[in-house]
Amino acid sequence: MSLTEQLLRPLLTSPAKPLITHYDDRVGSRVELSVATMQNWAAKTANWLVDEFDVEQGDAVAVRLPAHWQTAGVLLGAWWCGARVVAEPEGARVVFTSPDEEIDAPAVAVVSLDPMGRGLPAPPSGGALDYLSEARMSGDQFFPMQPTPGDTPALGSSTVDEVWTEATARAAKLGLTAADRVLSTMDWTVPDGVLDGLLVPLAASAHLVQVTNADPAKLSARREAERTTADLPS
């Protein structure tokens, strides 16, 4: 079973439950995504990766993105089709990058990071693709051709089973449960930031309140407004 299926399966009994609330203090945005919406973006991404780039189990997909709800869709989609998420573009089947970074690679997907999910205002240069505009046309459900074995590389050098075991262990150590609303300001660097900042709360089926470009003066207000019960250590 893929890492994405392990993360989302316990949550699908309550698909309308909020899963990720994303703040970007630099642009003043707040976006809340339910389990169903996050699953939908993951499915679209997985279908797009398979159809557009022929991604197969174990293939490397480079993710060079900030902590953002769109990044969560990219990561969950990559894992769902069995890809290995890496940081560096060398050898990757496709490289996901933000609009302000130029990458010289055979296949580049630019993620707009627009709070409301709009694509890029103009087509990206150099043959790159607009992830949001392209992937939203893909199917809302993903059906892998075969189950993802637990020994498939998933995050850096770690396999699906190793990542799942480590994420659940760290969540248990922090005492996180499905009842928690977890505030985090962590960067989702690959692999450590993704593990601690995204996978640990999701492994506990907790609601993640992610604050990107955090303004320290606003964090108390964020905790109060979102009724958070735990903070991830920075």
Side-chain angles (χ1 to χ4, degrees), residues 39 88 128 159 165 174 199 227:
Q39 182 192 38
E88 298 305 319
T159 66
T165 298
L174 293 172
L199 292 177
R227 305 185 305 281

Side-chain angles (χ1 to χ4, degrees), residues 16-185:
K17 175 186 175 182
L19 182 63
I20 297 176
T21 298
H22 177 248
Y23 285 89
D24 188 335
D25 282 350
R26 183 175 295 166
V27 299
S29 63
R30 178 189 183 277
V31 180
E32 184 174 279
L33 296 100
S34 67
V35 173
T37 301
M38 202 71 261
Q39 182 192 38
N40 180 264
W41 270 109
K44 287 180 178 294
T45 303
N47 281 312
W48 189 59
L49 286 171
V50 172
D51 294 342
E52 181 69 32
F53 303 103
D54 297 321
V55 171
E56 298 179 352
Q57 292 178 2
D59 284 347
V61 170
V63 179
R64 302 169 64 86
L65 296 167
H68 195 282
W69 68 264
Q70 290 164 27
T71 306
V74 168
L75 291 166
L76 292 171
W79 289 319
W80 205 346
C81 64
R84 175 169 68 101
V85 172
V86 298
E88 298 305 319
E90 289 78 16
R93 181 74 70 173
V94 58
V95 181
F96 285 90
T97 186
S98 58
D100 58 359
E101 182 180 30
E102 293 187 5
I103 292 291
D104 182 14
V108 177
V110 181
V111 182
S112 75
L113 305 176
D114 179 84
M116 302 311 297
R118 293 180 289 258
L120 297 166
S125 61
L129 298 174
D130 180 344
Y131 159 71
L132 282 172
S133 297
E134 298 262 351
R136 74 169 70 253
M137 305 301 293
S138 295
D140 293 342
Q141 298 183 12
F142 179 67
F143 301 99
M145 296 294 293
Q146 56 188 0
T148 301
D151 60 357
T152 304
L155 181 61
S157 61
S158 299
T159 66
V160 171
D161 285 348
E162 289 169 341
V163 173
W164 176 250
T165 298
E166 186 64 21
T168 53
R170 294 189 189 190
K173 185 176 180 179
L174 293 172
L176 299 180
T177 71
D180 280 311
R181 297 171 62 87
V182 182
L183 183 85
S184 175
T185 62

